[in-house]
Amino acid sequence: MSIKADRGGSSQFVAGNLYQYLPAPPVAALKALPDAPDVLVGRGRLVEELLGILEPGGGPRVVVVAGLAGVGKSALALTVAQRALEQGLFDGGVLYVGLRGYDPGGAAVSAGQAVDTLLGELGVQDADLPGTAQGRLALLRSELAERAEAGRRVLIVADDAGEVAQVRDLVPPGEAHRLLVTSRERLVVPEFRARVLVLDELAHGAATELVAESLRRAWPQDPRPGREPEALAAIAEHCGRLPLALTVAAATLAGDPGLAIAELARQLADTRSRLDALSPADAGGLPTGVRAAFDHSYARLPADRARLLRLLTAGPGPDIHTEFATVLGLVPGEEPDAELAVRATRALLAALARTGLLAEQPVGSNRWRMHDLVRLYATEQAHRHAGSDGREEAAHRVLSLYGAVLYGAHGRLQARTDIDEVERFPDAGSALRWLDLERTNLIAAVTLCAELGMAVDAANFAAFLMGYLSRRRLFDAAIDLGRIGEEQARRSGDREARHVVLHEIALALTEARRFDEAAELFERLVAFHAVGEPTMGRALVLLNSSSLWTLTGRLDEAAAALEEALRLFRTFGDRRREAEALGGLGTLLLSLRRVDESIAVLEEAVDLLGEHGTPLVTARALSNLGNALSAAGRFGDAIARYGRSLAMFRELDDWYGVAFAAGRLGVTLHEAGRPDEAVQPLTQAIEACRAGGERDGAAQGYLALGSVLTDTADHTGALQAFEQALALYHDLGDGTGLVTAMRALGTTYERLGDAAGAAEHLFFAELLHSGEGMPVIRADEEGNRRKGRPGPWRRLRAHFGRSTSGATPSPDPASPPPPSGRRDDPKEMA
């Protein structure tokens, strides 16, 4: 008879084949696991995902939770480990070792020390430890193997690993056990196979809840979260929704119950002091918080990666393409092979991404973005190395490249043949897609040029960008950018550049339907160009001002401007602009109801544009010709022109043009007695409006679609279309649209035989139409409330789900485009 003790904590009494098990002592590993946070905000899906991976047969043996310092990796891992214990996934216990991989004092835990820690947690006494590191590692694997054979799964949590070498030996043998690692690095190397889960910052709602919950835990009666929700949201954004920063902000508020959340938000809004506010010193005066966490990551970077990280902040926007990062990172005096340089830069960027200091978003796009707080930190470092890095020279290089490519994109949109970016932009769609991707950076380039004293460049960036922004219906952004560009041109003393930008502003104001402001500017521009010999600039101002005068009913002025512009373009021999002026004249004639003359002029314009014009202006002229043909009752010819226009707008990736042409095509098919064919183009128009955020246009499309479906006897489909229109008009706060949609619904319910539904909707329509409608509804509601039954106001609110938002309606995409399109080439305006 003998007693045999296994290191797992159970004892066996051995006598032949007789085994008697004594009660197992507590597993020491359970006592070593640090506490998980009481509440883990915004990570519920990730917790469940990790638990699924940790289940038997649920995934690989090793999982790495990676991410930026302070993003909450340890909190997630500890929460998952605790939950795994509670669910009985690891009846052999959870082992924990803190690796301190980023300790600035060189106190990182070695692989051998980590093995010793785990053996101690398994209950192995120091006296039983082998004398060599290899022997101790073999003992650890043996202990884990015994537990696997006994069906007792073990989870090892290795927190804050700085490199693979710290955790390679901790990979458990067999398939039963699991290793959960947290690291700022992704730890992706061939000999260390692991599932990598990259942790991002919190969603907005979770970020605000983290601060609010922290305050409630410190003081349950704290009134500030409920009283200052907007300020709380501002703090979340100023902290970049990074859990560490949010925790510091919450601690600041909790430590000063009298400090208003809005006041802290105001302090954090200042980017010059934000890192200081989020990096308090501890009781001993040592730095903590965000800056200290980033210091640890930055200190480990090789010199070339650190330099590139610093120089990335010299770019104009929040993200950057690999090609432009390559230009930033060039070493003065070196002229490397362009392809090799881009490849080397991508390798550096990917290495920075593995540390969490950078992210490729989306993966495979070659576009790289820093977290906002990392950018502030890297900017601090950049200013310390400005002399050695050549930061200002790098900014000039990247702005020069942006300017060259922007000019090429603009030239492609203008159908110019003398551009240098033919391979990059084989068609207008490719140019638009690049502009869409780079929009934020290009807008920021205007401000950066101004900061660097590049006033003329700032004006040029603004001028070339404004046409694109207006094309994307971003009128306010175009106008604001133009104001900056005009101010920079004024500062530089370049009078011609200033008037180029003012012309662009006038165009944007016209398209934004801000007619009074546009008129004042155009009148100034016409007066400016009236001095001296006639120029192309004068002709273009007259042409573009004619669109405004036509839209505002100043038809005599429009005619005079077009006649002179047409004469000047013919004098200069500019057939393209001559065609555009003819297009404007044709639209003016249609406004004067001189339909046959309008058709003749527009047909001449379309023919001339087909030979000399840009695709966008040609597509718009075709749509205008369709309008004239439709007004003449020549529906077949109009439908053909709308179809051609629609195909061109699709090819140009112009959603607004698609919405207009498809909508007019559908309406004209309906008018021609072909309602079945009208459904598809009207649906396309609605989809285009929704894609472009034009809710008012989408609502009009639904009304037209409902009318078409009514004529096809699809009353159920019509009902659904009118309901969509009603919901959109409600969100827009458009009372007229509400009345129209409500009446259409009432009529449709009548056709469906629902007398009650018809009566209620028609009743609501008339009350809304009446000037006293809302007071009558509310009075009736009050009377019904006293009688204990719901009145119409409550039923009306229930119909929508919530009260009217009061939003401002969007511009109407069903209205015709400017008479002769956008004819703005800044290079020719001077």
Side-chain angles (χ1 to χ4, degrees), residues 9-53:
S10 63
S11 298
Q12 299 172 342
F13 174 76
V14 183
N17 292 327
L18 178 63
Y19 291 84
Q20 178 178 350
Y21 291 91
L22 300 175
V27 179
L30 295 181
K31 299 178 182 178
L33 186 65
D35 290 336
D38 294 330
V39 178
L40 187 70
V41 176
R43 304 297 195 196
R45 182 187 61 80
L46 293 173
V47 169
E48 295 303 322
E49 180 180 347
L50 277 171
L51 287 171
I53 294 173

Short mmCIF file of all heavy atoms in Angstrom, two decimals, residues 9-53:
data_model
loop_
_atom_site.label_atom_id
_atom_site.label_comp_id
_atom_site.label_asym_id
_atom_site.label_seq_id
_atom_site.Cartn_x
_atom_site.Cartn_y
_atom_site.Cartn_z
N GLY A 9 -3.48 18.15 -7.31
CA GLY A 9 -4.19 18.43 -6.07
C GLY A 9 -4.95 17.23 -5.56
O GLY A 9 -5.41 17.22 -4.44
N SER A 10 -5.13 16.12 -6.32
CA SER A 10 -5.85 14.95 -5.82
C SER A 10 -4.86 13.91 -5.33
O SER A 10 -3.71 13.88 -5.75
CB SER A 10 -6.74 14.36 -6.92
OG SER A 10 -5.95 13.91 -8.00
N SER A 11 -5.29 13.05 -4.39
CA SER A 11 -4.43 11.98 -3.87
C SER A 11 -5.08 10.64 -4.15
O SER A 11 -6.30 10.51 -4.14
CB SER A 11 -4.22 12.15 -2.37
OG SER A 11 -3.57 13.38 -2.11
N GLN A 12 -4.25 9.62 -4.42
CA GLN A 12 -4.78 8.29 -4.71
C GLN A 12 -4.26 7.30 -3.67
O GLN A 12 -3.07 7.26 -3.38
CB GLN A 12 -4.33 7.84 -6.10
CG GLN A 12 -4.83 8.77 -7.22
CD GLN A 12 -4.21 8.40 -8.55
OE1 GLN A 12 -3.19 7.71 -8.58
NE2 GLN A 12 -4.83 8.83 -9.63
N PHE A 13 -5.16 6.46 -3.09
CA PHE A 13 -4.78 5.36 -2.20
C PHE A 13 -4.73 4.12 -3.08
O PHE A 13 -5.74 3.69 -3.64
CB PHE A 13 -5.82 5.19 -1.09
CG PHE A 13 -5.57 3.99 -0.24
CD1 PHE A 13 -4.56 4.02 0.71
CD2 PHE A 13 -6.33 2.84 -0.39
CE1 PHE A 13 -4.33 2.92 1.52
CE2 PHE A 13 -6.09 1.74 0.41
CZ PHE A 13 -5.10 1.78 1.37
N VAL A 14 -3.52 3.54 -3.25
CA VAL A 14 -3.35 2.46 -4.22
C VAL A 14 -3.24 1.13 -3.50
O VAL A 14 -2.41 0.96 -2.62
CB VAL A 14 -2.08 2.69 -5.06
CG1 VAL A 14 -1.93 1.61 -6.11
CG2 VAL A 14 -2.12 4.07 -5.70
N ALA A 15 -4.06 0.17 -3.83
CA ALA A 15 -3.99 -1.19 -3.30
C ALA A 15 -4.50 -2.11 -4.39
O ALA A 15 -5.69 -2.30 -4.56
CB ALA A 15 -4.83 -1.35 -2.05
N GLY A 16 -3.59 -2.66 -5.17
CA GLY A 16 -4.02 -3.48 -6.29
C GLY A 16 -4.77 -2.61 -7.29
O GLY A 16 -4.25 -1.62 -7.78
N ASN A 17 -6.03 -3.02 -7.60
CA ASN A 17 -6.85 -2.24 -8.53
C ASN A 17 -7.82 -1.32 -7.80
O ASN A 17 -8.74 -0.78 -8.40
CB ASN A 17 -7.64 -3.18 -9.43
CG ASN A 17 -6.73 -3.94 -10.38
OD1 ASN A 17 -5.72 -3.40 -10.80
ND2 ASN A 17 -7.10 -5.18 -10.68
N LEU A 18 -7.63 -1.15 -6.47
CA LEU A 18 -8.56 -0.35 -5.67
C LEU A 18 -8.02 1.08 -5.55
O LEU A 18 -6.90 1.30 -5.13
CB LEU A 18 -8.70 -0.95 -4.27
CG LEU A 18 -9.62 -0.17 -3.31
CD1 LEU A 18 -11.04 -0.16 -3.83
CD2 LEU A 18 -9.56 -0.82 -1.93
N TYR A 19 -8.86 2.06 -5.99
CA TYR A 19 -8.48 3.48 -5.90
C TYR A 19 -9.48 4.19 -5.01
O TYR A 19 -10.68 4.08 -5.20
CB TYR A 19 -8.48 4.14 -7.29
CG TYR A 19 -7.38 3.63 -8.18
CD1 TYR A 19 -7.53 2.47 -8.92
CD2 TYR A 19 -6.18 4.34 -8.27
CE1 TYR A 19 -6.52 2.00 -9.73
CE2 TYR A 19 -5.17 3.87 -9.09
CZ TYR A 19 -5.34 2.71 -9.83
OH TYR A 19 -4.34 2.26 -10.63
N GLN A 20 -8.98 4.90 -4.04
CA GLN A 20 -9.83 5.71 -3.18
C GLN A 20 -9.36 7.16 -3.30
O GLN A 20 -8.21 7.45 -3.02
CB GLN A 20 -9.75 5.26 -1.72
CG GLN A 20 -10.60 6.13 -0.80
CD GLN A 20 -10.53 5.62 0.63
OE1 GLN A 20 -10.01 4.54 0.87
NE2 GLN A 20 -11.03 6.43 1.55
N TYR A 21 -10.27 8.09 -3.77
CA TYR A 21 -9.90 9.50 -4.01
C TYR A 21 -10.25 10.33 -2.80
O TYR A 21 -11.37 10.29 -2.30
CB TYR A 21 -10.63 10.04 -5.24
CG TYR A 21 -10.13 9.42 -6.52
CD1 TYR A 21 -10.71 8.26 -7.03
CD2 TYR A 21 -9.04 9.97 -7.18
CE1 TYR A 21 -10.24 7.68 -8.18
CE2 TYR A 21 -8.56 9.40 -8.34
CZ TYR A 21 -9.16 8.26 -8.84
OH TYR A 21 -8.68 7.68 -9.98
N LEU A 22 -9.27 11.07 -2.34
CA LEU A 22 -9.48 12.01 -1.27
C LEU A 22 -9.95 13.34 -1.85
O LEU A 22 -9.68 13.64 -3.02
CB LEU A 22 -8.18 12.20 -0.49
CG LEU A 22 -7.61 10.92 0.15
CD1 LEU A 22 -6.27 11.25 0.78
CD2 LEU A 22 -8.58 10.35 1.17
N PRO A 23 -10.65 14.24 -1.11
CA PRO A 23 -11.09 15.54 -1.62
C PRO A 23 -9.91 16.36 -2.12
O PRO A 23 -8.86 16.44 -1.48
CB PRO A 23 -11.76 16.21 -0.42
CG PRO A 23 -12.14 15.07 0.47
CD PRO A 23 -11.08 14.03 0.28
N ALA A 24 -10.08 16.99 -3.31
CA ALA A 24 -9.00 17.79 -3.89
C ALA A 24 -8.93 19.14 -3.21
O ALA A 24 -9.96 19.76 -2.94
CB ALA A 24 -9.23 17.98 -5.39
N PRO A 25 -7.74 19.64 -2.90
CA PRO A 25 -7.62 20.99 -2.33
C PRO A 25 -7.98 22.03 -3.39
O PRO A 25 -8.00 21.72 -4.58
CB PRO A 25 -6.13 21.07 -1.96
CG PRO A 25 -5.45 20.12 -2.90
CD PRO A 25 -6.41 18.99 -3.11
N PRO A 26 -8.23 23.27 -2.97
CA PRO A 26 -8.57 24.31 -3.95
C PRO A 26 -7.45 24.47 -4.98
O PRO A 26 -6.27 24.35 -4.66
CB PRO A 26 -8.71 25.58 -3.11
CG PRO A 26 -8.99 25.08 -1.72
CD PRO A 26 -8.26 23.79 -1.60
N VAL A 27 -7.83 24.75 -6.23
CA VAL A 27 -6.83 24.97 -7.28
C VAL A 27 -6.19 26.33 -7.06
O VAL A 27 -6.87 27.35 -7.04
CB VAL A 27 -7.50 24.90 -8.67
CG1 VAL A 27 -6.46 25.14 -9.76
CG2 VAL A 27 -8.16 23.53 -8.85
N ALA A 28 -4.89 26.34 -6.92
CA ALA A 28 -4.22 27.60 -6.59
C ALA A 28 -4.38 28.64 -7.68
O ALA A 28 -4.41 29.83 -7.42
CB ALA A 28 -2.73 27.32 -6.35
N ALA A 29 -4.55 28.19 -8.93
CA ALA A 29 -4.63 29.13 -10.04
C ALA A 29 -5.81 30.06 -9.93
O ALA A 29 -5.76 31.20 -10.38
CB ALA A 29 -4.71 28.38 -11.36
N LEU A 30 -6.89 29.60 -9.35
CA LEU A 30 -8.08 30.44 -9.25
C LEU A 30 -7.81 31.67 -8.40
O LEU A 30 -8.43 32.71 -8.58
CB LEU A 30 -9.24 29.65 -8.66
CG LEU A 30 -9.76 28.47 -9.51
CD1 LEU A 30 -10.92 27.81 -8.81
CD2 LEU A 30 -10.16 28.93 -10.88
N LYS A 31 -6.92 31.57 -7.45
CA LYS A 31 -6.64 32.70 -6.57
C LYS A 31 -5.75 33.73 -7.23
O LYS A 31 -5.66 34.87 -6.77
CB LYS A 31 -5.96 32.17 -5.29
CG LYS A 31 -6.83 31.20 -4.51
CD LYS A 31 -6.08 30.68 -3.30
CE LYS A 31 -6.92 29.67 -2.52
NZ LYS A 31 -6.19 29.12 -1.36
N ALA A 32 -5.06 33.33 -8.32
CA ALA A 32 -4.10 34.24 -8.96
C ALA A 32 -4.74 35.11 -10.03
O ALA A 32 -4.12 36.06 -10.49
CB ALA A 32 -2.96 33.43 -9.58
N LEU A 33 -5.95 34.81 -10.46
CA LEU A 33 -6.59 35.57 -11.53
C LEU A 33 -7.04 36.93 -11.01
O LEU A 33 -7.84 37.02 -10.08
CB LEU A 33 -7.80 34.80 -12.06
CG LEU A 33 -8.50 35.40 -13.28
CD1 LEU A 33 -7.58 35.38 -14.49
CD2 LEU A 33 -9.79 34.64 -13.58
N PRO A 34 -6.52 38.03 -11.58
CA PRO A 34 -6.97 39.36 -11.12
C PRO A 34 -8.46 39.55 -11.35
O PRO A 34 -9.07 38.87 -12.17
CB PRO A 34 -6.15 40.33 -11.98
CG PRO A 34 -5.00 39.53 -12.49
CD PRO A 34 -5.49 38.13 -12.62
N ASP A 35 -9.03 40.47 -10.62
CA ASP A 35 -10.46 40.75 -10.78
C ASP A 35 -10.75 41.32 -12.16
O ASP A 35 -10.00 42.17 -12.66
CB ASP A 35 -10.94 41.75 -9.72
CG ASP A 35 -10.95 41.14 -8.33
OD1 ASP A 35 -11.05 39.90 -8.23
OD2 ASP A 35 -10.85 41.91 -7.35
N ALA A 36 -11.83 40.86 -12.74
CA ALA A 36 -12.32 41.46 -13.97
C ALA A 36 -13.07 42.73 -13.62
O ALA A 36 -13.53 42.91 -12.49
CB ALA A 36 -13.24 40.48 -14.70
N PRO A 37 -13.23 43.67 -14.56
CA PRO A 37 -14.01 44.87 -14.26
C PRO A 37 -15.45 44.50 -13.91
O PRO A 37 -16.00 43.53 -14.42
CB PRO A 37 -13.94 45.67 -15.57
CG PRO A 37 -13.51 44.71 -16.62
CD PRO A 37 -12.70 43.66 -15.94
N ASP A 38 -16.04 45.28 -13.01
CA ASP A 38 -17.42 44.99 -12.61
C ASP A 38 -18.36 45.03 -13.81
O ASP A 38 -19.28 44.23 -13.91
CB ASP A 38 -17.88 46.02 -11.56
CG ASP A 38 -17.10 45.89 -10.26
OD1 ASP A 38 -16.65 44.76 -9.96
OD2 ASP A 38 -16.90 46.91 -9.58
N VAL A 39 -18.14 45.97 -14.69
CA VAL A 39 -18.96 46.10 -15.89
C VAL A 39 -18.05 46.31 -17.08
O VAL A 39 -17.18 47.18 -17.04
CB VAL A 39 -19.95 47.28 -15.78
CG1 VAL A 39 -20.76 47.41 -17.07
CG2 VAL A 39 -20.89 47.09 -14.60
N LEU A 40 -18.22 45.50 -18.09
CA LEU A 40 -17.45 45.67 -19.33
C LEU A 40 -18.41 46.24 -20.37
O LEU A 40 -19.31 45.55 -20.85
CB LEU A 40 -16.88 44.34 -19.80
CG LEU A 40 -15.91 44.41 -20.99
CD1 LEU A 40 -14.61 45.08 -20.57
CD2 LEU A 40 -15.63 43.02 -21.54
N VAL A 41 -18.23 47.50 -20.71
CA VAL A 41 -19.18 48.19 -21.57
C VAL A 41 -18.80 48.03 -23.04
O VAL A 41 -17.64 48.19 -23.40
CB VAL A 41 -19.23 49.70 -21.21
CG1 VAL A 41 -20.15 50.45 -22.15
CG2 VAL A 41 -19.67 49.88 -19.78
N GLY A 42 -19.77 47.68 -23.85
CA GLY A 42 -19.58 47.68 -25.29
C GLY A 42 -18.81 46.53 -25.88
O GLY A 42 -18.44 46.56 -27.06
N ARG A 43 -18.54 45.50 -25.09
CA ARG A 43 -17.75 44.38 -25.59
C ARG A 43 -18.51 43.06 -25.53
O ARG A 43 -17.90 41.99 -25.61
CB ARG A 43 -16.46 44.24 -24.78
CG ARG A 43 -15.57 45.48 -24.73
CD ARG A 43 -15.07 45.87 -26.08
NE ARG A 43 -13.96 46.82 -26.02
CZ ARG A 43 -13.55 47.55 -27.04
NH1 ARG A 43 -14.16 47.44 -28.22
NH2 ARG A 43 -12.54 48.40 -26.91
N GLY A 44 -19.82 43.12 -25.41
CA GLY A 44 -20.59 41.90 -25.24
C GLY A 44 -20.42 40.91 -26.37
O GLY A 44 -20.25 39.71 -26.15
N ARG A 45 -20.44 41.40 -27.61
CA ARG A 45 -20.29 40.50 -28.75
C ARG A 45 -18.93 39.82 -28.75
O ARG A 45 -18.80 38.63 -29.04
CB ARG A 45 -20.49 41.28 -30.05
CG ARG A 45 -20.41 40.41 -31.30
CD ARG A 45 -20.43 41.27 -32.55
NE ARG A 45 -19.32 42.18 -32.62
CZ ARG A 45 -18.07 41.81 -33.02
NH1 ARG A 45 -17.82 40.55 -33.32
NH2 ARG A 45 -17.10 42.70 -33.07
N LEU A 46 -17.88 40.58 -28.40
CA LEU A 46 -16.53 40.02 -28.39
C LEU A 46 -16.37 38.99 -27.27
O LEU A 46 -15.66 37.99 -27.43
CB LEU A 46 -15.50 41.14 -28.23
CG LEU A 46 -15.40 42.11 -29.41
CD1 LEU A 46 -14.48 43.26 -29.07
CD2 LEU A 46 -14.89 41.37 -30.65
N VAL A 47 -17.01 39.24 -26.13
CA VAL A 47 -16.96 38.26 -25.05
C VAL A 47 -17.54 36.94 -25.52
O VAL A 47 -16.95 35.86 -25.31
CB VAL A 47 -17.71 38.79 -23.81
CG1 VAL A 47 -17.89 37.66 -22.78
CG2 VAL A 47 -16.97 39.96 -23.17
N GLU A 48 -18.69 37.00 -26.17
CA GLU A 48 -19.33 35.76 -26.64
C GLU A 48 -18.48 35.10 -27.72
O GLU A 48 -18.38 33.86 -27.76
CB GLU A 48 -20.72 36.07 -27.19
CG GLU A 48 -21.70 36.59 -26.14
CD GLU A 48 -21.85 35.61 -24.97
OE1 GLU A 48 -21.86 34.39 -25.22
OE2 GLU A 48 -21.93 36.08 -23.82
N GLU A 49 -17.87 35.89 -28.58
CA GLU A 49 -17.03 35.32 -29.63
C GLU A 49 -15.83 34.58 -29.01
O GLU A 49 -15.49 33.46 -29.43
CB GLU A 49 -16.54 36.43 -30.57
CG GLU A 49 -15.66 35.93 -31.70
CD GLU A 49 -15.19 37.04 -32.62
OE1 GLU A 49 -15.74 38.17 -32.53
OE2 GLU A 49 -14.27 36.79 -33.43
N LEU A 50 -15.19 35.20 -28.02
CA LEU A 50 -14.05 34.56 -27.38
C LEU A 50 -14.46 33.31 -26.62
O LEU A 50 -13.75 32.29 -26.66
CB LEU A 50 -13.35 35.54 -26.45
CG LEU A 50 -12.35 36.50 -27.11
CD1 LEU A 50 -11.90 37.56 -26.13
CD2 LEU A 50 -11.15 35.73 -27.64
N LEU A 51 -15.58 33.37 -25.94
CA LEU A 51 -16.05 32.17 -25.23
C LEU A 51 -16.31 31.03 -26.20
O LEU A 51 -16.02 29.86 -25.89
CB LEU A 51 -17.32 32.50 -24.43
CG LEU A 51 -17.12 33.35 -23.17
CD1 LEU A 51 -18.46 33.78 -22.60
CD2 LEU A 51 -16.31 32.58 -22.11
N GLY A 52 -16.83 31.37 -27.37
CA GLY A 52 -17.04 30.33 -28.36
C GLY A 52 -15.75 29.70 -28.84
O GLY A 52 -15.68 28.49 -29.06
N ILE A 53 -14.71 30.52 -28.98
CA ILE A 53 -13.42 29.99 -29.40
C ILE A 53 -12.81 29.11 -28.31
O ILE A 53 -12.15 28.10 -28.60
CB ILE A 53 -12.46 31.16 -29.72
CG1 ILE A 53 -12.97 31.92 -30.95
CG2 ILE A 53 -11.04 30.66 -29.96
CD1 ILE A 53 -12.19 33.19 -31.24
#
